[in-house]
Amino acid sequence: NICLTACHNVNGVAALHTEILKNETFKDYYNLSPEKFVNVTNGVTQRRWLYKANPELKNLITSAIGDKWVKDENEFEKLVKFADDSAFRDEFAKIKYDNKVRLAEYIKEHNGITVDPSSLFDVQIKRLHEYKRQLLKVMHIIYRYKMITEQPEVASMLPETFIFGAKAAPGYHAAKLIIKLINNVAEVVNNDPRTKDILKVVFLENYNVSLAKKIFPGSDVSEQISTAGKEASGTGNMKFMLNGAVTIGTMDGANVEMYEQVGEDNIYIF
């Protein structure tokens, strides 16, 4: 309450979250001082998360539309006309593969796990928390494992590499149990001769910005599956999309505004 009184603006960091503050969390205070409540959605800079993190893609984009995008993200709209350009698409696919090779080399060096760069890299990297639902993703992996081992005649045999990166708060017992579960599932899946060439599970330790700059360019699928109404505003979802990963997400946090920007054909709502 002291913060609300002292500050001239109260920001929810995503449109959905700001509305929750106004209608639920701070409803009484909003009725007193509605002018204080504004929304400025969290954002990312393309200079760090594309220009610096993904130099090959940076060069491809610049060769197609010039370099004004470095200071004006609205310039990215000019890329739409290249969506059906086979030469551009082939070069983009090559760049994605090169980035996956580099990520695979990092995984081999730091985790001792060999992953196939031609497999689908399905990635969930964010703070370990129950509402972010890493547990739900682990259940999906267990389901895939059981289908392949128990009903191989109907199971999808698409090779997939599931990559997690996260830190848990020091006293967050449930979060640490989920990390333990991910590693236990990895131990089973990665070493079962029936699945080791189809499924791989990797938990990358000490997740930080330097590691993230390796992960985002090499990701195929971006997992943004937090319980709707719980995520204030992540920014990883934007960094994934900026590097050409396909987003699967709930209508939560900044996913809502990403959906409004790119349209339903360019994001998979879960």
Side-chain angles (χ1 to χ4, degrees):
N1 288 336
I2 294 175
C3 288
L4 292 169
T5 302
C7 294
H8 62 87
N9 275 345
V10 181
N11 176 27
V13 303
L16 175 68
H17 196 238
T18 300
E19 291 306 305
I20 291 172
L21 296 186
K22 288 156 61 172
N23 298 323
E24 297 177 30
T25 315
F26 300 135
K27 183 177 180 180
D28 290 343
Y29 202 96
Y30 173 71
N31 289 335
L32 285 172
S33 304
E35 73 284 352
K36 284 191 176 187
F37 288 74
V38 298
N39 182 68
V40 182
T41 297
N42 273 350
V44 302
T45 168
Q46 68 273 27
R47 289 174 289 282
R48 177 179 292 277
W49 294 107
L50 201 165
Y51 190 93
K52 293 287 285 183
N54 200 341
E56 287 185 66
L57 184 57
K58 175 257 294 187
N59 291 337
L60 176 63
I61 292 172
T62 300
S63 70
I65 64 171
D67 64 359
K68 289 183 179 178
W69 63 269
V70 179
K71 293 185 177 180
D72 181 4
E73 66 278 4
N74 293 312
E75 289 286 308
F76 285 128
E77 291 183 15
K78 293 180 180 178
L79 287 172
V80 172
K81 64 185 179 184
F82 293 94
D84 296 318
D85 184 310
S86 59
F88 185 92
R89 287 164 59 148
D90 289 347
E91 184 61 23
F92 174 81
K94 177 184 177 298
I95 290 167
K96 177 63 72 175
Y97 182 80
D98 290 346
N99 286 322
K100 290 171 71 177
V101 168
R102 282 188 278 272
L103 182 53
E105 290 170 349
Y106 178 91
I107 291 169
K108 178 64 176 177
E109 180 182 352
H110 290 83
N111 291 70
I113 300 171
T114 300
V115 301
D116 180 4
S118 64
S119 66
L120 187 77
F121 280 17
D122 186 328
V123 186
Q124 188 174 16
I125 51 172
K126 50 177 63 191
R127 189 163 49 86
L128 208 305
H129 202 293
E130 286 160 288
Y131 79 76
K132 293 179 185 287
R133 296 206 290 198
Q134 285 95 343
L135 181 59
L136 180 64
K137 188 63 194 174
V138 182
M139 293 298 174
H140 171 230
I141 297 168
I142 294 171
Y143 169 77
R144 288 276 287 117
Y145 173 77
K146 287 177 68 65
M147 286 293 290
I148 292 168
T149 55
E150 296 175 9
Q151 301 181 58
E153 69 282 357
V154 296
S156 166
M157 294 301 177
L158 171 72
E160 293 178 279
T161 298
F162 300 100
I163 299 170
F164 294 88
K167 289 179 179 176
Y172 197 166
H173 184 66
K176 294 186 176 186
L177 284 178
I178 293 169
I179 293 175
K180 176 64 173 167
L181 175 62
I182 294 169
N183 282 285
N184 285 0
V185 170
E187 187 70 21
V188 173
V189 170
N190 296 348
N191 294 297
D192 190 323
R194 298 169 296 177
T195 55
K196 66 182 181 65
D197 295 326
I198 304 169
L199 305 179
K200 285 289 172 70
V201 180
V202 178
F203 187 93
L204 295 171
E205 63 185 44
N206 196 31
Y207 174 63
N208 55 30
V209 168
S210 297
L211 179 52
K213 287 162 71 174
K214 293 182 176 70
I215 298 171
F216 289 120
S219 300
D220 292 313
V221 175
S222 163
E223 296 284 351
Q224 307 297 329
I225 55 174
S226 54
T227 307
K230 296 292 186 180
E231 185 88 87
S233 173
T235 56
N237 51 2
M238 305 173 204
K239 296 165 192 171
F240 275 114
M241 189 172 276
L242 196 58
N243 283 280
V246 175
T247 302
I248 176 169
T250 50
M251 283 301 241
D252 193 36
N255 288 350
V256 178
E257 288 150 286
M258 280 176 33
Y259 172 86
E260 292 169 352
Q261 284 289 319
V262 304
E264 64 181 356
D265 291 340
N266 295 302
I267 187 170
Y268 292 84
I269 297 301
F270 170 78

